[in-house]
Amino acid sequence: MTVATVAAVVIAWLQFRDDTTAARSTHWVVWATIAIGAVWLGYALLVGAVLVLGRLFCLSDVCRGPLGSPT
């Protein structure tokens, strides 16, 4: 879904750029695609960063065992 979102945002951005060059008004769907896509991509990057940092600092039971267990 993230790859499709990136593709949609890139296409919407290209449409916006073309509209700006031709001095046309940009359709509201282009603006909505850019706005919603940017929010979704920001969320996906945040979740990805949390997962990577969780794995990096060993914050799950998978790499350190459950809390309260004898080591």
Side-chain angles (χ1 to χ4, degrees), residues 1-23:
M1 187 165 169
T2 303
V3 174
T5 304
V6 169
V9 169
V10 167
I11 290 169
W13 180 258
L14 290 173
Q15 180 64 44
F16 171 74
R17 189 178 69 176
D18 187 49
D19 288 344
T20 304
T21 303

Side-chain angles (χ1 to χ4, degrees), residues 3-4 7 12-13 15 20-21 24 28 35 37-38 42 44 50 54 59 61 64 69-70:
V3 174
W13 180 258
Q15 180 64 44
T20 304
T21 303
R24 291 189 301 249
W28 68 269
V50 167
L59 298 176
D61 291 342
R64 65 167 164 73
S69 66

Side-chain angles (χ1 to χ4, degrees), residues 39-62:
V39 169
W40 173 254
L41 290 173
Y43 173 75
L45 288 173
L46 179 66
V47 169
V50 167
L51 291 175
V52 167
L53 291 174
R55 193 64 124 156
L56 182 68
F57 292 111
C58 191
L59 298 176
S60 68
D61 291 342
V62 174

